Amino acid sequence: MENKFKTPRTTVMEFGGPLGALFLPVLLPCTVLYLLLACRTQDAGVSSLPSPLPSLRELWDLDAFLLVVGWFGLQAALYMLPLGKVTQGLPLRDGSVLSYRVNGLQAFVITCLLLGLGLLGGLRLSPLHDRCVQLAVAATVASFSLSVFLYARSLCVPDSALAPGGNSGNPIYDFFIGHELNPRIGNFDLKYFCELRPGLTGWEAVLTTMDIVNDGFGFMLAFGDLTWVPFTYSLQAHFLVGHPQELAGTSAAAIILLNGLGYFIFRRANSQKNIFRRNPKDPKVAGLETIPTATGRQLLVSGWWGLVRHPNYLGDLIMALAWSLPCGVAHVLPYFYIIYFTVLLIHREARDEHQCRRKYGSAWNEYCKRVPYRIFPYLY
Ligand code: NDP
């Protein structure tokens, strides 16, 4: 039985293979530190760094580490509360289906209430900004520790539990990309929790995304979820604390509208695919045109997914631009997010394209013919 569902060996390695997997865990934490330090200098230029650079001793702060661990603990406790509905993921390779509790909104509201109570009781939030470099270092240490734990436990799970993309047999590569697909401690799903909580709350329709369906849980997602997302995606806010900008009412309104447009596209596109993958007969999607594939699954070819092949990326990029624009146009640094995100999503689209062509063969080629643009209509 076990052999029937054995995860095949990974033959195509991404991100530069083992060399990339060795290099990126050094480069990414250095990038986070560099961005935060540069942002705190007076000119906030791309080549500005404080002089002298902080020593290793100044970067490590036990209180910051305890704060990070305490935050993870609080979010884990809220995730385990029996609030919200329980939903099912997509069928796994062996036909089994995992259940997931959906209580991010409740966790968010409780967190806000706790924060409100804290503020009423005299809690000050400014130390979070003052010590953000130390907090980022602490989150990096936590991400590395989690990744080592994840790789160690992946060596003890059945072969069918491994991620198709992270089963190369090369420990460095598998550690980086994620060896086990859905690591769980009891009902506690480590990947789902890290994707949806400590660094970013409020995400929906995640159960049909690449992260959950294809990618294993290793350094790439652990560091991304716990360090990269919270500290680099909020760079604009760090920048504005030290470099406040004047924003005219009309500019603010235009930025809010742009963000609304991005959110609308992002949310509608992700929801449409999520509903369709869960139940193609759902009245909300039943009228859409589809292409059949040899796997028995269909591909949407009208609606949002008939506009471009990744309408959800388009919406996300429009929002990314709206989040940087309040920082004005005199500095490049607060535009790091949109620049990096464009590169990430173009690369991600290529990864997904490769996987979909492998899964769906000629049906995917037909889809590409019918919907020629990848992310930006009439451009790319
Ligand atoms: P998607 O949610 O876009 O999922 C891709 C999968 O959708 C494909 O593998 C395929 O899987 C299915 N699919 C593709 N085309 C069709 C179609 N025409 N009809 C039906 N199903 C189709 O992948 P991501 O995980 O990359 O993105 C999810 C969201 O997360 C996006 O909005 C993205 O912007 C966001 N994101 C944000 C990041 C960040 O750092 N902020 C990082 C990465 C993503 P199958 O057929 O097997 O169902």
Side-chain angles (χ1 to χ4, degrees):
M1 193 68 163
E2 164 64 14
N3 259 353
K4 190 171 156 206
F5 301 117
K6 221 171 153 189
T7 306
R9 273 273 179 224
T10 308
T11 47
V12 179
M13 296 202 218
E14 301 172 294
F15 298 100
L19 199 62
L22 195 64
F23 182 60
L24 286 169
V26 179
L27 178 75
L28 295 176
C30 291
T31 307
V32 174
L33 274 187
Y34 160 75
L35 289 170
L36 290 174
L37 289 172
C39 208
R40 297 166 86 84
T41 59
Q42 210 176 358
D43 353 324
V46 253
S47 56
S48 315
L49 276 177
S51 176
L53 281 173
S55 65
L56 277 182
R57 221 197 168 120
E58 286 168 300
L59 290 178
W60 173 253
D61 178 348
L62 183 61
D63 289 348
F65 184 72
L66 293 177
L67 191 60
V68 164
V69 173
W71 171 252
F72 292 173
L74 169 69
Q75 292 306 319
L78 295 178
Y79 169 66
M80 286 192 287
L81 285 181
L83 294 174
K85 63 176 183 182
V86 174
T87 190
Q88 312 240 287
L90 294 182
L92 300 174
R93 168 180 298 278
D94 62 3
S96 63
V97 172
L98 294 174
S99 297
Y100 296 86
R101 186 169 285 285
V102 183
N103 62 7
L105 182 62
Q106 289 86 341
F108 180 67
V109 171
I110 296 174
T111 306
C112 290
L113 286 175
L114 290 175
L115 192 63
L117 285 176
L119 290 172
L120 285 176
L123 179 75
R124 285 173 55 249
L125 294 182
S126 56
L128 289 180
H129 172 73
D130 300 341
R131 292 160 98 177
C132 71
V133 173
Q134 287 77 6
L135 288 167
V137 170
T140 303
V141 171
S143 309
F144 268 100
S145 313
L146 176 63
S147 311
V148 170
F149 166 75
L150 289 169
Y151 184 69
R153 66 162 266 151
S154 74
L155 299 176
C156 313
V157 300
D159 203 279
S160 58
L162 301 179
N167 189 26
S168 70
N170 182 304
I172 297 172
Y173 183 76
D174 293 347
F175 165 85
F176 173 78
I177 208 94
H179 199 205
E180 187 180 352
L181 185 60
N182 298 301
R184 285 189 161 205
I185 300 174
N187 279 336
F188 193 100
D189 193 295
L190 292 163
K191 180 167 72 171
Y192 177 73
F193 168 71
C194 289
E195 284 274 294
L196 290 182
R197 296 300 161 76
L200 162 123
T201 313
W203 185 236
E204 284 175 48
V206 78
L207 292 176
T208 54
T209 62
M210 276 167 76
D211 284 5
I212 297 291
V213 177
N214 295 311
D215 292 339
F217 194 28
F219 180 82
M220 180 177 76
L221 286 184
F223 182 78
D225 292 338
L226 304 182
T227 309
W228 184 264
V229 167
F231 291 96
T232 64
Y233 288 23
S234 58
L235 198 67
Q236 299 90 319
H238 288 296
F239 170 85
L240 285 174
V241 173
H243 310 83
Q245 305 287 315
E246 286 287 325
L247 198 59
T250 43
S251 309
I255 292 173
I256 291 169
L257 275 179
L258 187 69
N259 191 49
L261 173 72
Y263 181 70
F264 179 75
I265 300 174
F266 166 84
R267 184 166 173 138
R268 285 300 178 98
N270 277 317
S271 301
Q272 192 169 67
K273 197 247 303 171
N274 190 49
I275 294 169
F276 181 72
R277 274 288 169 257
R278 287 175 171 282
N279 177 17
K281 296 202 176 89
D282 189 298
K284 288 187 192 136
V285 292
L288 295 174
E289 205 184 330
T290 58
I291 299 178
T293 76
T295 64
R297 283 177 158 203
Q298 296 167 313
L299 290 168
L300 286 168
V301 74
S302 67
W304 288 106
W305 297 79
L307 176 71
V308 284
R309 300 208 291 271
H310 266 291
N312 49 353
Y313 291 1
L314 175 67
D316 225 348
L317 285 168
I318 293 175
M319 284 195 289
L321 178 62
W323 293 339
S324 295
L325 285 172
C327 299
V329 289
H331 291 84
V332 176
L333 212 58
Y335 286 81
F336 171 80
Y337 176 52
I338 169 86
I339 296 168
Y340 143 83
F341 201 40
T342 305
V343 174
L344 174 116
L345 289 183
I346 287 177
H347 177 247
R348 195 171 172 91
E349 193 280 332
R351 285 179 70 207
D352 192 43
E353 165 105 9
H354 178 76
Q355 283 169 13
C356 287
R357 181 154 287 123
R358 211 181 49 202
K359 264 188 285 187
Y360 302 126
S362 57
W364 185 258
N365 292 337
E366 168 68 15
Y367 177 50
C368 295
K369 226 192 281 164
R370 298 270 303 269
V371 185
Y373 293 99
R374 296 163 192 261
I375 302 177
F376 304 100
Y378 304 106
L379 277 178
Y380 176 77

